Amino acid sequence: MGEVKEEYSLFKDVSKVVDLAAVYLDIHPGLLSQIKECNSIYKFHFPLRNDDGTYEVLKGYRVQHSHHKLPVKGGIRYSSFVDEEEVKGLAALMTYKCALVNIPYGGAKGGVSIDPNKYNATQLERITRRYTSELIKKNFIGPAIDVPAPDYGTGAREMSWIVDTYEAFNPNAINAKGCVTGKPLSQHGIDGRTEATGMGVYIGIREAVSVKEDMDVLGLTTGLGGKKVIVQGLGNVGYYAAKYLQEAGATIIGVAEYNGGIFDEGGIDIEALKSFQVKNKGFKGYPKGNFVEESAEMLTYPCDILVPAALENVITEKNASQIQAKIIGEAANGPVTQEAAQILIEKNVLVIPDMYLNAGGVTVSYFEWLKNLSRVSFGKLEKRYDMKKYEALLESIENATGDTFTDEQKDLIVRGASERDLVNSGLEETMVTAYHHMNSVRKSKGIKTLRIAAFTVALERIAVSYLDLGIFP
Ligand code: GLU
């Protein structure tokens, strides 16, 4: 009998890397099994009534992977690929992601198995509100329990419907706004959340290319200047990642979308391409560069950095050997399968792992949640006080030296921090610290890949947390 090929499962893929990481740690096997399993899985069906009187029965999920820290946290995805294995895998990734960047949450993920492009806003609102009330019924949402956020196919609008529904059922809950993050600013969101994941991707890649020793191994110079980048997916994550990489001096030579890509060796103007995409629902007819019908092929085009920023399972054992990029920045969750990762090691490709690289979103979600619980925006209390203090300081320096500062110098020093300044500062600190910690663990333990190093760091933190709970010996 021929060998039966196991069907791809993101959850199993994640579990495999956890096992590879566990080799570098001394973890009780029972504890390891506990960490790997999903604590709670909620799968449900609910009806959607269409305007013409017909009904559809939709499938919804919320998986809480780890309760070692509460609340659990993770996005809600609307996509026709959503199934139990995917949601379990994505929830598990959230656990390790939060542990790696030291954000005090367990991991979760939710989803509805629909193609959101096939529904209008009214239908999506009905779906979202109904999905939320299903979560409320089973206590699968709440600021202290489980806090969803945007993911593939959802955004600030859906988060607004979620918080509104939650508040309607919990009118007296003073922390209700913290039941979901990624809300619009007017609905107690935080300045900078929309850009956060893409900005985190940029910061992570910037840190990776700043390490001379690592770039020497790849035959690359340090810094982003002149690096050729191909991005897959120009949604929220891919767009901001491409935009910040471009602003930092990288050349975006290719952008691939599910319905076609654009390739231009001379560099693509990301702002222009995005506006074209919004108007035309794709890149077909974009006046510059070449339109690539089979956009998946662009993953194997020559470039320095490849940034898959759409869905999981796009670099597999089928195309990994053809990859020509020196660095892959996993902006999406799970774009490189475990089998592909093995092939890429042989090819000396540096893979910056998803659980690190796209952690900017949950990091800023954490700041939003803190803001909601404290009910005050960041910087509100100290901004003016700081400004006055620095003004006085500059004045006394001027008096003592007889010199005067220019207006620009004064503006730079005196300007108090806004909410966005603080959010970006917290995001940068989180991403920079986590990268160098993960990379130093890779080197000190002689681990082959950043991905396994990332899991090692995360696993150790989760294990310590369980041990301190006194559940395991
Ligand atoms: N969906 C995002 C992720 O996969 C954000 C999750 C969150 O902010 O909770 O990391």
Side-chain angles (χ1 to χ4, degrees):
M1 233 167 59
E3 200 191 326
V4 181
K5 183 104 184 64
E6 235 185 276
E7 222 177 90
Y8 170 75
S9 150
L10 180 64
F11 181 65
K12 285 192 189 128
D13 234 28
V14 173
S15 301
K16 275 186 216 160
V17 200
V18 176
D19 287 334
L20 295 177
V23 170
Y24 297 93
L25 300 167
D26 179 22
I27 298 186
H28 186 284
L31 174 52
L32 185 61
S33 307
Q34 169 61 42
I35 292 174
K36 278 161 59 182
E37 272 311 328
C38 290
N39 285 170
S40 319
I41 300 173
Y42 180 26
K43 175 178 168 187
F44 48 95
H45 291 88
F46 59 97
L48 169 72
R49 186 168 50 80
N50 291 313
D51 290 338
D52 62 2
T54 58
Y55 282 87
E56 274 177 73
V57 177
L58 305 181
K59 230 183 280 166
Y61 302 88
R62 185 72 183 169
V63 172
Q64 299 179 342
H65 173 259
S66 178
H67 291 159
H68 77 287
K69 280 199 186 343
L70 287 173
V72 291
K73 189 89 187 76
I76 292 173
R77 170 173 292 210
Y78 287 175
S79 135
S80 26
F81 297 112
V82 163
D83 62 20
E84 191 172 324
E85 281 305 293
E86 183 189 67
V87 184
K88 278 168 67 184
L90 292 166
L93 269 177
M94 287 307 300
T95 296
Y96 303 110
K97 185 187 302 190
C98 292
L100 173 69
V101 295
N102 242 337
I103 298 291
Y105 294 133
K109 202 76 162 203
V112 181
S113 181
I114 50 162
D115 174 357
N117 298 314
K118 296 206 174 122
Y119 296 88
N120 61 33
T122 316
Q123 290 171 309
L124 288 170
E125 178 170 357
R126 271 187 218 143
I127 294 169
T128 308
R129 289 187 183 276
R130 180 64 195 250
Y131 174 86
T132 309
S133 46
E134 295 293 335
L135 297 187
I136 295 169
K137 270 195 226 165
K138 296 282 184 205
N139 228 358
F140 262 70
I141 183 170
I145 300 167
D146 185 337
V147 182
D151 199 84
Y152 190 87
T154 62
R157 178 183 66 172
E158 283 73 16
M159 304 307 117
S160 244
W161 292 328
I162 293 176
V163 71
D164 189 52
T165 309
Y166 183 82
E167 285 188 307
F169 282 92
N170 298 276
N172 212 16
I174 197 158
N175 289 326
K177 301 278 186 223
C179 76
V180 65
T181 59
K183 301 178 292 290
L185 250 186
S186 65
Q187 291 298 318
H188 304 259
I190 198 163
D191 204 1
R193 175 63 183 84
T194 312
E195 300 86 334
T197 312
M199 184 177 279
V201 169
Y202 148 67
I203 296 170
I205 295 175
R206 183 193 75 193
E207 289 312 296
V209 300
S210 74
V211 185
K212 184 163 183 333
E213 193 186 335
D214 299 346
M215 290 307 103
D216 285 348
V217 175
L218 302 177
L220 289 176
T221 54
T222 55
L224 283 166
K227 293 266 180 324
K228 293 185 173 178
V229 179
I230 295 180
V231 180
Q232 185 199 35
L234 203 60
N236 183 50
V237 179
Y239 164 63
Y240 283 109
K243 176 179 148 76
Y244 295 127
L245 286 167
Q246 185 164 65
E247 282 170 11
T251 309
I252 314 294
I253 58 166
V255 178
E257 264 289 359
Y258 69 97
N259 54 355
I262 286 290
F263 185 77
D264 189 347
E265 274 283 355
I268 298 165
D269 178 345
I270 287 301
E271 292 295 339
L273 186 65
K274 182 72 191 170
S275 327
F276 186 90
Q277 185 196 32
V278 170
K279 260 192 234 131
N280 302 285
K281 305 253 174 287
F283 302 148
K284 206 166 197 153
Y286 186 66
K288 291 198 182 138
N290 296 324
F291 181 73
V292 184
E293 195 87 46
E294 287 303 320
S295 60
E297 283 172 8
M298 289 173 70
L299 294 169
T300 58
Y301 283 11
C303 63
D304 298 313
I305 306 170
L306 176 66
V307 184
L311 284 171
E312 63 269 20
N313 195 24
V314 293
I315 300 172
T316 65
E317 81 275 19
K318 291 201 186 101
N319 58 359
S321 58
Q322 295 152 41
I323 296 287
Q324 299 189 61
K326 303 258 171 51
I327 299 173
I328 297 180
E330 288 191 300
N333 287 308
V336 177
T337 66
Q338 244 327 89
E339 281 148 342
Q342 287 307 318
I343 300 169
L344 294 168
I345 297 174
E346 309 298 315
K347 285 173 64 79
N348 193 26
V349 176
L350 174 69
V351 178
I352 312 173
D354 49 2
M355 57 182 288
Y356 162 71
L357 200 61
N358 66 31
V362 73
T363 301
V364 175
S365 274
Y366 172 53
F367 302 152
E368 180 177 331
W369 181 73
L370 292 176
K371 173 184 174 177
N372 295 151
L373 298 188
S374 63
R375 282 173 287 279
V376 63
S377 58
F378 288 102
K380 183 141 185 131
L381 299 183
E382 63 273 46
K383 186 171 175 186
R384 295 279 147 186
Y385 176 79
D386 285 347
M387 287 169 78
K388 289 206 178 100
K389 198 168 61 183
Y390 290 126
E391 259 163 21
L393 186 69
L394 290 190
E395 210 177 290
S396 51
I397 296 173
E398 284 182 338
N399 289 340
T401 59
D403 281 340
T404 49
F405 291 98
T406 64
D407 284 349
E408 280 107 65
Q409 286 170 325
K410 276 189 192 158
D411 280 352
L412 191 72
I413 298 167
V414 167
R415 193 174 66 96
S418 66
E419 179 161 280
R420 180 175 288 241
D421 291 329
L422 294 170
V423 162
N424 288 349
S425 149
L427 172 60
E428 186 163 15
E429 167 61 18
T430 305
M431 295 302 294
V432 172
T433 309
Y435 187 83
H436 296 289
H437 181 52
M438 163 177 86
N439 202 22
S440 72
V441 167
R442 172 171 76 95
K443 289 176 186 174
S444 67
K445 289 190 186 280
I447 300 175
K448 268 195 187 152
T449 66
L450 273 178
R451 189 201 294 251
I452 299 174
F455 273 91
T456 308
V457 172
L459 199 51
E460 181 159 31
R461 288 205 179 119
I462 300 164
V464 167
S465 174
Y466 267 111
L467 292 174
D468 288 347
L469 273 173
I471 300 178
F472 282 90

